[in-house]
Amino acid sequence: MKKTKKETTLNQKKPNPRADKADGEGAVLAAIEAMPGPDRAVGERLHAIIKASAPALSPKLWYGMPAYAKDGKVICFFRSGQKFKERYMTLGFNNEANLDEGHMWPIAFALKELSSAEEARIGALMKKAVN
């Protein structure tokens, strides 16, 4: 007896969201590991800040860049300066990030290194972005 399409769909296992998050984290960590030295150090720190400030976000690769999503929609990402031969890394936010302030607000930041002031600012931006 042949199964109907509906029966087949119902019997298929749904992906485990925790497995996706773990797979995404592994991919993000691998992408960070592949960055050149100075960018790698900043990338590792950004990853830690984002996870601590916005634990509800799921790490994933987005166009080959480390990114963090909520309900499948990318909220923020960062990329190595080497990717586009720039002299700085970029930390960017997509339109799903709740950073709106008036009629104009920044959505991308250039990073050359991270001091405690930048780390605190990024942490605050992440908390605001997901609320």
Side-chain angles (χ1 to χ4, degrees):
M1 184 173 173
K2 232 178 174 181
K3 290 185 179 183
T4 66
K5 187 175 181 178
K6 184 176 181 179
E7 288 174 326
T8 303
T9 303
L10 290 174
N11 291 331
Q12 290 176 342
K13 287 189 173 185
K14 292 183 181 179
N16 180 347
R18 287 186 180 178
D20 289 343
K21 192 169 185 175
D23 292 346
E25 177 132 18
V28 163
L29 292 174
I32 293 169
E33 184 65 30
M35 292 178 179
D39 285 356
R40 182 180 326 117
V42 173
E44 290 168 349
R45 194 67 202 122
L46 282 172
H47 180 70
I49 293 166
I50 292 167
K51 285 188 53 119
S53 303
L57 296 182
S58 299
K60 65 185 278 179
L61 285 185
W62 185 63
Y63 296 104
M65 297 176 284
Y68 303 84
K70 181 177 180 182
D71 300 326
K73 296 180 181 180
V74 172
I75 301 293
C76 71
F77 63 91
F78 61 89
R79 70 173 189 233
S80 170
Q82 297 295 317
K83 185 167 181 100
F84 296 102
K85 297 180 180 157
E86 297 170 335
R87 60 185 176 88
Y88 51 83
M89 290 183 73
T90 301
L91 170 65
F93 294 87
N94 284 343
N95 61 336
E96 286 80 11
N98 295 318
L99 297 176
D100 304 32
E101 286 184 13
H103 298 290
M104 186 172 133
W105 58 91
I107 59 165
F109 298 87
L111 293 169
K112 289 184 86 174
E113 58 184 56
L114 290 176
S115 70
S116 57
E118 284 87 20
E119 289 182 5
R121 185 170 179 201
I122 291 167
L125 280 168
M126 291 309 307
K127 288 176 183 173
K128 184 175 181 183
V130 296
N131 290 327

